[in-house]
């Protein structure tokens, strides 16, 4: 087929081209050009088959760990693997573009979609999203970077305006998009909300930043039904509206005829939709499924293994083979493994995979493993079912494991959570079990922070399972029994309570969400103001022990190389994520106490030593200056801070930056 340009199309065709075809396709203009098929992600493929009689059926697919769990791996290789495996799922189902990943910042732990997002930190979110996109696109399936931008709550998301100052936008909310754009996603999706009063779908300034500053060269989609005025959106640079909306299309045609929008303006969008169609056609030719379903399940398992976080362990884990274990809580063996997932457009239909932690523990243990669901959850209500049996089992066992959490009833697109605490039935369950067994382990299935204040001190161990996907039970069983050494770390702070969060009490009504806390998001806030937290950003325990030493900082003109030696001093093989933060010591603008600038996950056999190496440029020291409308690294003193978490600082070194030259002090 000859490749068409906008010159080959009539005005009517171009108007049609920028308005999509149905829910999940770009128009092919009567077979004149390749039709592009898009489907949801990011956790697995959620493809809808729409039949002629109107029936809609979701295709079963592999459920990978939710993005929060992926981020807890702190491993770009894991993100790349997930992208690669997802590409196979897409190829098998004739999907050209996966509507993923989303890089919105976790500003508020109650956001109903946090499980779909990476982190409270823009560098971690951007870096992992970039690897995810690279994985997907290297296997010739397109990515769609979403939701652009400042969409950080579900509450009234279609109308509410995020009111954010320019510096905060640049440093926190736009930053992950900037980093992810380095992977050249073929498309991006605007958010529903307004930004400083202007709809994301009509945000000329936002689209200009994305294209001209971040180098985005793909097609820009609307979020589904996010367009209010197709003409205004087209003028701003929104290339294609999804799904097809007859009224919006008719109005666009009318506006065009009345001269309210020019042919050049339509051309700019139409040209990018054409370019997308041909880019996808070229990718299609190179596609080949590279992993079997079993191999993709193994990817899901590897990601779950690395994404599960051991939050607390007072000697009870790993379980000893001969110990008798009492498992309770319906999350241990939900009827469908999609129950240990969040809800909404990212919810995968999982068929044929059984999520049964007690059964897997039985395979691994010699001691008896009892299981009693004891409660189940619907909405915010949890109901008890034979709790006394579970309590008796706990009393009679060496170790009690209570599996609690949220699931799609409490965490879902379209609404936010009402509170950070677990339903009281679950909290009571933990307390009752812990009262009967000192060696109680809580396993948490959730996609966003949980306030554990009511029971955290009463139990011996806490494992953050997250929404760990269809292979999560296998990963958990291996971690609980010590076959796999836990290596996940928190990609978001777990605060003590909602009242302690930087967004508590901050102005919000149906029209406006004021981001008054500015740069003080997540650990930037807790660490600057010394607020105690339950578990800090970057925290995660291991069965191994790691010793940090020999920090070497080499300054050469405008770069800084940092090396640190990490030794596994234990008898257990493990993995450790070394985090590099920068702490400005003396500055003339406000800066958070410290900010993550790099990280590195090392696999270390028992007794092994390895060096983590980081290369920093001036960019790592810069802030967005509203004085010069650009990035700027001020002369002054900075501290290189090496941590095992944002609150477990192992080594530091001071350097000076003067007229673009770094020197070690
Ligand atoms: C969500 C998007 C999703 C789209 C298509 C919207 O409601 O915000 O993330 O890709 O629906 O399902």
């Amino acid at each position: 087929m000859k490749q068409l340009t906008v010159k080959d199309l009539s005005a009517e065709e171009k108007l049609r081209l920028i308005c999509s075809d149905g829910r999940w396709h770009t128009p092919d203009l009567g077979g004149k050009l390749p039709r592009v098929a898009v489907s949801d992600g990011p956790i697995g493929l959620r493809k809808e088959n729409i039949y002629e009689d109107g029936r809609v059926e979701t295709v079963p697919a592999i459920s990978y760990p939710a993005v929060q769990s992926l981020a807890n791996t702190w491993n770009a290789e894991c993100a790349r693997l997930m992208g690669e495996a997802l590409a196979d799922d897409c190829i098998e189902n004739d999907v050209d573009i996966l509507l993923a990943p989303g890089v919105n910042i976790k500003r508020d732990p109650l956001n109903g979609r946090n499980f779909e997002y990476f982190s409270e930190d823009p560098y971690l979110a951007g870096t992992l999203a970039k690897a995810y996109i690279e994985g997907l696109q290297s296997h010739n399936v397109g990515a769609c970077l979403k939701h652009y931008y400042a969409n950080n709550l579900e509450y009234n998301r279609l109308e509410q305006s995020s009111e954010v100052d320019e510096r905060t936008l640049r440093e926190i909310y736009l930053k992950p998009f900037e980093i992810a754009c380095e992977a050249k996603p073929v498309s991006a999706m605007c958010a529903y909300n307004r930004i400083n009063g202007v709809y994301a779908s009509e945000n000329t300034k936002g689209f200009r930043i994305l294209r001209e500053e971040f180098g985005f060269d793909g097609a820009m989609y609307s979020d589904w039904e996010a367009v209010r005025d197709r003409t205004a959106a087209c003028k701003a640079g929104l290339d294609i509206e999804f799904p097809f909306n007859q009224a919006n299309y008719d109005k666009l045609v009318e506006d065009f005829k009345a001269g309210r929008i020019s042919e050049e303006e339509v051309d700019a969008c139409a040209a990018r939709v054409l370019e997308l169609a041909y880019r996808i056609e070229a990718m299609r030719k190179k596609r080949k499924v590279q992993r079997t379903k079993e191999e993709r399940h193994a990817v899901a398992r590897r990601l779950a293994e690395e994404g599960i976080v051991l939050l607390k362990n007072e000697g009870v884990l790993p379980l000893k083979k001969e110990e008798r274990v009492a498992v309770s809580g319906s999350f241990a063996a939900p009827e469908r493994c999609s129950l240990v997932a969040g809800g909404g457009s990212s919810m995968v239909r999982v068929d044929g995979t059984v999520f049964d932690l007690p059964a897997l523990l039985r395979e691994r243990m010699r001691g008896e493993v009892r299981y009693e669901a004891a409660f189940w959850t619907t909405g915010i209500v949890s109901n008890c079912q034979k709790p006394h049996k579970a309590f008796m089992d706990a009393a009679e066992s060496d170790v009690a494991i209570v599996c609690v959490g949220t699931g799609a009833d409490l965490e879902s697109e379209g609404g936010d959570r009402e509170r950070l605490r677990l339903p009281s039935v679950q909290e009571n369950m933990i307390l009752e079990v812990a009262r009967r067994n000192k060696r109680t382990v809580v396993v948490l299935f959730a996609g966003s922070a949980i306030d554990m204040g009511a029971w955290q001190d009463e139990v011996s161990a806490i494992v953050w399972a997250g929404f760990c996907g269809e292979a999560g039970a296998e990963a958990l069983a291996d971690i609980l029994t010590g076959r796999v050494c836990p290596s996940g770390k928190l990609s978001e702070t777990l605060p003590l309570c909602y009242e302690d969060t930087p967004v508590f009490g901050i102005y919000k009504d149906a029209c406006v969400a004021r981001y008054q806390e500015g740069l003080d998001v997540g650990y930037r806030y807790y660490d600057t103001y010394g607020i105690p937290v339950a578990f800090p950003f970057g925290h995660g325990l291991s069965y191994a022990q790691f010793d940090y030493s020999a920090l070497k900082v080499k300054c050469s003109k405008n770069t800084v190389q940092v090396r640190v030696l990490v030794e596994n001093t234990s008898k257990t093989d493990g993995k450790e994520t070394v985090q590099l933060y920068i702490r400005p010591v003396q500055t003339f603008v406000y800066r958070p106490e410290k900010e993550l600038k790099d990280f590195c996950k090392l696999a270390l056999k028992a007794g092994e030593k390895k060096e983590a190496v980081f290369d920093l440029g001036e960019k790592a020291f810069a802030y967005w200056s509203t004085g010069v409308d650009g990035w700027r690294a001020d002369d002054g003193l900075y501290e290189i801070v090496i941590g095992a978490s944002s609150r477990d600082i192992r080594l530091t070194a001071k350097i000076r930056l003067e007229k673009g030259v770094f020197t070690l002090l």
Side-chain angles (χ1 to χ4, degrees):
M1 227 189 296
K2 172 182 168 276
Q3 287 207 2
L4 305 177
T5 69
V6 282
K7 292 200 189 73
D8 302 311
L9 302 180
S10 66
E12 201 194 351
E13 283 175 320
K14 288 184 281 197
L15 292 168
R16 191 62 200 79
L17 188 59
I18 65 171
C19 289
S20 80
D21 180 6
R23 279 189 74 73
W24 307 107
H25 293 90
T26 62
D28 67 356
L29 304 179
K32 273 187 165 180
L33 36 113
R35 188 167 180 256
V36 176
V38 304
S39 264
D40 266 315
I43 293 156
L45 174 67
R46 187 188 68 92
K47 187 191 178 191
E48 284 182 356
N49 279 337
I50 306 173
Y51 298 102
E52 271 170 17
D53 60 3
R55 251 181 333 114
V56 180
E57 187 196 53
T58 306
V59 173
I62 292 180
S63 153
Y64 299 90
V67 178
Q68 188 221 38
S69 299
L70 172 64
N72 287 346
T73 68
W74 284 70
N75 190 345
E77 191 201 328
C78 286
R80 188 168 290 110
L81 267 179
M82 181 155 161
E84 286 178 13
L86 276 161
D88 284 346
D89 299 330
C90 291
I91 296 169
E92 276 179 357
N93 288 287
D94 298 320
V95 170
D96 297 305
I97 293 174
L98 190 72
L99 300 170
V103 290
N104 300 72
I105 289 292
K106 300 185 198 202
R107 170 180 181 247
D108 185 331
L110 291 178
N111 179 13
R113 281 187 103 167
N114 274 354
F115 69 95
E116 283 188 59
Y117 299 139
F118 290 91
S119 181
E120 66 189 26
D121 180 81
Y123 180 78
L124 182 60
T127 306
L128 296 178
K130 180 180 160 191
Y132 179 109
I133 296 168
E134 283 167 356
L136 200 59
Q137 297 199 161
S138 68
H139 286 214
N140 297 300
V141 169
C144 175
L145 184 61
K146 65 191 190 182
H147 305 91
Y148 193 69
Y149 56 117
N151 172 204
N152 310 95
L153 268 192
E154 288 298 279
Y155 172 67
N156 207 18
R157 64 177 176 172
L158 299 180
E159 285 303 332
Q160 207 189 40
S161 176
S162 302
E163 203 164 301
V164 202
D165 69 82
E166 186 68 18
R167 182 173 168 204
T168 302
L169 277 177
R170 296 290 186 150
E171 291 187 27
I172 307 287
Y173 297 100
L174 286 170
K175 195 67 178 176
F177 289 95
E178 181 177 357
I179 300 171
C181 274
E182 290 169 19
K184 295 276 172 218
V186 302
S187 60
M189 185 192 293
C190 78
Y192 284 119
N193 52 291
R194 305 171 190 242
I195 302 118
N196 294 320
V198 182
Y199 283 120
S201 57
E202 298 171 16
N203 212 297
T204 313
K205 180 177 172 187
F207 294 149
R208 187 195 54 71
I209 293 174
L210 195 70
R211 292 192 187 283
E212 292 174 19
E213 296 185 36
F214 301 170
F216 173 69
D217 63 358
M220 189 77 211
Y221 311 153
S222 70
D223 198 341
W224 269 231
E225 283 143 27
V227 173
R228 312 308 192 292
D229 178 340
R230 185 66 191 100
T231 303
C234 177
K235 282 174 181 283
L238 183 107
D239 300 325
I240 184 156
E241 173 182 7
F242 272 110
F244 181 72
N245 178 316
Q246 189 68 50
N248 281 359
Y249 173 69
D250 293 345
K251 178 71 175 33
L252 174 69
V253 173
E254 187 191 311
D255 284 349
F256 180 76
K257 288 186 181 147
R260 286 190 285 267
I261 181 166
S262 70
E263 189 148 358
E264 291 73 51
E265 286 168 321
V266 176
D267 280 0
C269 295
R272 288 191 288 252
V273 182
L274 280 178
E275 212 175 295
L276 178 78
Y278 294 120
R279 203 165 167 180
I280 290 299
E281 188 185 42
M283 287 166 89
R284 235 179 241 162
K285 289 187 186 136
K286 291 186 262 172
R287 276 182 202 155
K288 202 170 127 262
V289 171
Q290 306 201 9
R291 285 186 176 86
T292 62
K293 285 216 166 61
E294 290 68 36
E295 286 167 337
R296 277 173 262 159
H297 180 84
V299 168
R301 182 169 175 170
R302 153 97 196 269
L303 304 180
E305 284 172 7
E306 288 208 30
I308 291 170
V309 187
L310 180 60
L311 293 176
K312 169 176 177 174
N313 186 20
E314 288 173 349
V316 64
L317 293 176
L319 302 169
K320 288 173 208 73
K321 250 192 155 47
E322 53 290 343
E323 280 175 324
R324 288 163 304 147
V325 180
V327 183
S328 58
S330 50
F331 287 86
E335 279 160 37
R336 286 176 294 119
C337 63
S338 51
L339 286 181
V340 286
S345 65
S346 68
M347 195 160 184
V348 180
R349 179 177 151 199
V350 194
D351 273 4
T353 317
V354 182
F355 193 104
D356 191 341
L357 182 62
L360 295 168
L361 285 176
R362 275 179 208 122
E363 285 171 15
R364 288 159 178 77
M365 303 285 291
R366 273 200 298 273
E368 188 190 6
V369 177
R370 294 188 195 171
Y371 173 57
E372 189 59 56
F375 69 85
W376 74 97
T377 305
T378 333
I380 53 163
V381 187
S382 284
N383 293 301
C384 280
Q385 197 184 29
K386 294 201 237 160
H388 296 295
K389 171 79 171 43
F391 300 155
M392 254 164 55
D393 288 350
E396 289 167 8
S397 299
D398 299 310
V399 180
I401 299 178
V402 193
C403 295
V404 293
T406 54
D409 281 332
L410 292 180
E411 292 193 58
S412 183
E413 178 181 345
D416 301 309
R417 278 192 300 162
E418 276 168 25
R419 41 189 240 146
L420 275 193
R421 286 175 66 166
L422 290 171
S424 53
V425 165
Q426 297 193 28
E427 289 191 340
N428 291 339
M429 184 79 206
I430 298 171
L431 291 170
E432 290 294 331
V433 169
R435 212 155 60 79
R436 290 165 172 87
N437 193 323
K438 288 259 146 314
R439 291 158 62 79
T440 291
V441 179
V442 172
V443 181
L444 260 167
F445 295 85
S448 190
I450 298 287
D451 167 351
M452 310 177 197
W455 48 267
Q456 181 180 335
D457 294 338
E458 311 303 318
V459 300
S460 300
I462 307 174
V463 178
W464 184 275
F467 291 151
C468 46
E470 67 175 45
E474 290 153 281
L476 259 174
D478 283 346
I479 284 178
L480 292 171
T481 55
R483 285 190 185 190
V484 167
C485 182
S487 68
K489 293 204 177 194
L490 291 174
S491 48
E492 69 193 284
T493 310
L494 302 185
L496 283 170
C497 57
Y498 191 64
E499 289 70 16
D500 282 353
T501 66
V503 291
F504 177 72
I506 283 200
Y507 188 84
K508 180 177 81 188
D509 62 27
C511 303
V512 176
R514 285 200 75 190
Y515 287 38
Q516 267 160 290
E517 76 290 356
L519 302 169
D520 295 328
V521 177
Y523 70 90
R524 284 168 167 74
Y525 169 73
Y526 302 113
D527 291 359
T528 301
Y529 298 97
I531 314 280
V533 299
F535 295 104
F537 176 75
H539 166 79
L541 303 174
S542 167
Y543 299 146
Q545 267 123 39
F546 304 101
D547 187 50
Y548 290 49
S549 66
L551 175 64
K552 290 192 195 109
V553 178
K554 205 170 104 201
C555 297
S556 43
K557 207 173 172 295
N558 46 13
T559 57
V560 181
Q561 188 175 76
V562 180
R563 293 170 174 270
V564 55
L565 195 65
V566 184
E567 180 178 356
N568 181 347
T569 54
S570 73
K571 294 198 168 64
T572 310
D573 297 350
K575 290 179 182 156
E576 172 67 344
T577 299
V578 183
Q579 299 155 41
L580 187 153
Y581 299 86
I582 291 194
R583 180 188 285 151
V585 178
Q586 185 196 65
T587 57
F588 292 97
V589 291
Y590 172 74
R591 312 234 9 203
E593 191 259 345
K594 64 174 159 332
E595 294 178 282
L596 181 78
K597 293 298 169 181
D598 211 344
F599 58 90
C600 163
K601 191 166 189 174
L602 300 169
L604 293 155
K605 296 221 175 315
E608 196 181 4
K609 287 183 203 169
K610 272 186 193 163
E611 214 174 26
V613 183
F614 306 99
D615 289 302
L616 305 169
E618 220 180 285
K619 226 168 101 185
F621 298 80
Y623 64 94
W624 180 266
S625 161
T626 45
V628 298
D629 271 337
W631 294 99
R632 189 183 147 109
D634 282 345
D635 283 358
L637 287 185
Y638 297 89
E639 203 164 25
I640 310 272
V641 177
I642 301 291
S645 82
S646 85
R647 297 241 168 139
D648 180 3
I649 304 310
R650 302 296 180 89
L651 299 160
T652 61
K654 276 205 182 67
I655 58 171
R656 181 187 295 285
L657 174 61
E658 213 170 341
K659 299 197 173 68
V661 178
F662 290 102
T663 41
L664 179 65
L665 294 185

